[in-house]
Amino acid sequence: MHQFMNEEVTMNRRNFIKLTGLGLGSLALSSSIVGCSGNTASSDIYGWNGPNPAEQDIRLKVLSYAILSPNPHNKQPWIINLTGPRSFDLYVDPERLLPATDPYYRQIHIGQGTFLETLAIAASGLGHQVRFDYFPQDMYSNTELLHKPVASVELVEQPDIAVDPLFDQLLKRHSNKREYDNRSLTADEINTLQAFHGTQNDRPLSLVSGPQAQSSFEKILTEGMQIEVGDRARDDETIAMFRFDEDEVKQYRDGFGIAQAGVSGFKKRLIETFFLSRNSAEADPTDFGEQAVAMTRKTAASTATFGWITSTGNSRLDQVKAGHDYCRLNLKTTAMGLAQHPMSQVLQEYPAMLPLQAEFKETFGINAQDTVQMLFRLGRAEPTPHGPRRLVSELVQG
Ligand SMILES: Cc1cc2nc3c(=O)[nH]c(=O)nc-3n(C[C@H](O)[C@H](O)[C@H](O)COP(=O)(O)O)c2cc1C
């Protein structure tokens, strides 16, 4: 193997991938070889141990859980302004947006809702009730971002509060981006999720399974990724959040890398050493984009159940509420031993995506006026390592 590596490393990266067939797509899919556990040494740090047991401040304790919520590109777009001994305001961090792929910050606001939901669940586990006052200084429109709180949060001590059963899932939940095993969820699982989400929910959940849905999604999701890549600003935005090696993870404590797609151990080191480099991806994102498309095709093709959450309105509050819903669902699927993975390209609002988005809605009978807030795949797969989180202190002002 050593000799193999020495010979191959003299070739350029593109030839290497072609000759060995070791593109990221195929690598990410070899779960039998990967043999990865969700509980690696690195998943014990970067926030995933929960609050420091010595921490006394209830605000910091609940925030230690809230930072673990799902959020776009693991940007962690949150600022906390402490307003009282048991209260704080949540703001969008204007330095942590994704303007090229999320031009109206819709996904960023979903990531505020996931944060608030995780926080509420954590508070229940810590003997506190949470009171939210959404957009207390008025809600801004869905095309602007103003420096106004998304929510004022008050923690009220209530030792007899019923602990949300999802509390046990907070340190386990993750987005599982690896290949699934091609089996649909069972009818029981579908019913459980629908009942959990609630048939009266203003933001209905749709779940579809079967070969026809699978082939439509394989086509639509792959095309979505094809549209997404190949545009310099969008490529740069993704590459900026891609963590090419452990040093970058340590330095930034945000973003995502091949570990989150299920690549671990020797293979991960090999790829990070010889295939992936920030310099070459930034100089020419073509290979990086091609791998993203190949990976999207393979992961979609490995999945037999897809879901989405729709809202009739698309106000900032609708987006935040969709985040609450999505987060709960992801925690519920975690409790059920299922894997879940958002795939958002086709939902994005930049002009080049809109024709495919219209086709997606038509294919699945979604009202053209409605907003699909989250689209994701569901299935079964080995867990992947957690994405890193920054320190709570980095979010907190005041
Ligand atoms: C609004 C939103 C959109 C997302 N879109 C995608 C996506 O298109 N592709 C993807 O791989 N993950 C997507 N994710 C998942 C994030 O990458 C993931 O939540 C983040 O990296 C943190 O990782 P974790 O969920 O495993 O903790 C999305 C998450 C949210 C909340």
Side-chain angles (χ1 to χ4, degrees):
M1 182 52 90
H2 188 66
Q3 184 194 0
F4 160 85
M5 283 168 53
N6 283 343
E7 281 169 12
E8 299 291 357
V9 80
T10 58
M11 299 180 183
N12 73 32
R13 185 171 163 271
R14 184 181 281 268
N15 284 340
F16 194 127
I17 293 172
K18 278 193 184 141
L19 282 170
T20 59
L22 287 181
L24 274 187
S26 50
L27 276 165
L29 298 169
S30 316
S31 48
S32 56
I33 306 174
V34 168
C36 153
S37 130
N39 217 359
T40 62
S42 62
S43 73
D44 291 338
I45 50 172
Y46 301 122
W48 288 96
N49 273 345
N52 182 332
E55 182 59 66
Q56 295 298 316
D57 188 326
I58 185 65
R59 299 168 304 179
L60 302 184
K61 279 164 99 165
V62 296
L63 290 169
S64 302
Y65 285 102
I67 55 168
L68 307 179
S69 56
N71 69 96
H73 274 8
N74 198 17
K75 265 280 181 189
Q76 305 169 38
W78 311 299
I79 288 181
I80 298 296
N81 189 12
L82 300 175
T83 53
R86 285 170 191 270
S87 60
F88 51 87
D89 287 348
L90 169 68
Y91 292 79
V92 170
D93 184 341
E95 305 294 319
R96 292 184 162 266
L97 306 174
L98 296 162
T101 53
D102 182 29
Y104 301 118
Y105 321 123
R106 182 184 59 80
Q107 297 182 69
I108 290 289
H109 283 80
I110 293 176
Q112 308 299 308
T114 59
F115 187 93
L116 293 172
E117 183 60 37
T118 307
L119 194 155
I121 296 168
S124 81
L126 299 169
H128 282 70
Q129 195 205 352
V130 167
R131 294 196 185 134
F132 292 133
D133 185 7
Y134 294 102
F135 298 100
Q137 293 175 23
D138 288 343
M139 185 165 63
Y140 41 88
S141 84
N142 67 0
T143 54
E144 64 185 347
L145 177 63
L146 301 185
H147 186 65
K148 291 183 171 186
V150 171
S152 289
V153 180
E154 195 190 341
L155 297 161
V156 183
E157 198 167 2
Q158 190 186 325
D160 63 348
I161 193 171
V163 178
D164 191 316
L166 297 176
F167 180 70
D168 291 341
Q169 309 305 324
L170 293 181
L171 300 182
K172 298 179 194 152
R173 184 214 60 79
H174 61 289
S175 305
N176 193 322
K177 308 188 183 192
R178 70 158 93 227
E179 191 182 7
Y180 296 171
D181 70 359
N182 230 322
R183 276 189 296 147
S184 304
L185 268 58
T186 64
D188 272 357
E189 287 167 337
I190 299 272
N191 292 339
T192 301
L193 289 178
Q194 286 292 8
F196 174 80
H197 186 78
T199 45
Q200 302 304 312
N201 191 316
D202 289 344
R203 295 161 299 280
L205 167 69
S206 302
L207 296 169
V208 293
S209 298
Q212 206 179 337
Q214 184 176 33
S215 81
S216 296
F217 270 114
E218 183 184 337
K219 174 182 170 297
I220 289 168
L221 295 172
T222 307
E223 273 179 39
M225 190 56 91
Q226 265 156 352
I227 293 167
E228 176 120 330
V229 303
D231 169 271
R232 195 63 218 213
R234 292 197 291 268
D235 286 343
D236 285 352
E237 194 168 271
T238 304
I239 290 169
M241 292 314 290
F242 191 83
R243 297 293 161 248
F244 287 82
D245 55 37
E246 284 305 310
D247 287 344
E248 290 198 344
V249 175
K250 266 192 205 116
Q251 185 180 351
Y252 298 109
R253 301 178 65 114
D254 62 6
F256 57 94
I258 55 172
Q260 280 69 51
V263 185
S264 67
F266 173 73
K267 208 170 237 183
K268 178 168 175 291
R269 285 198 300 282
L270 182 77
I271 297 171
E272 288 176 348
T273 310
F274 297 112
F275 298 115
L276 282 174
S277 109
R278 175 165 300 284
N279 284 346
S280 67
E282 284 176 354
D284 178 0
T286 313
D287 279 355
F288 193 84
E290 281 174 7
Q291 292 305 322
V293 172
M295 210 156 153
T296 302
R297 187 188 302 282
K298 287 190 174 168
T299 49
S302 76
T303 307
T305 300
F306 294 85
W308 59 92
I309 293 171
T310 313
S311 63
T312 316
N314 189 25
S315 69
R316 290 302 185 204
L317 188 57
D318 291 320
Q319 297 163 3
V320 170
K321 291 280 177 78
H324 279 275
D325 293 338
Y326 179 77
C327 187
R328 289 191 73 76
L329 200 67
N330 195 180
L331 291 162
K332 180 67 178 172
T333 56
T334 305
M336 293 165 70
L338 298 171
Q340 182 166 342
H341 174 202
M343 298 183 92
S344 304
Q345 285 65 41
V346 70
L347 310 184
Q348 289 166 173
E349 291 91 346
Y350 52 84
M353 194 59 80
L354 298 182
L356 183 67
Q357 191 177 113
E359 184 189 324
F360 158 58
K361 287 181 168 176
E362 205 183 319
T363 306
F364 289 96
I366 301 165
N367 188 333
Q369 307 309 317
D370 290 353
T371 303
V372 181
Q373 299 286 0
M374 290 298 292
L375 169 63
F376 45 91
R377 58 192 187 101
L378 289 165
R380 291 174 180 78
E382 286 295 303
T384 51
H386 289 295
R389 294 300 192 272
R390 291 177 299 147
L391 300 170
V392 169
S393 56
E394 291 179 60
L395 274 57
V396 175
Q397 301 178 344

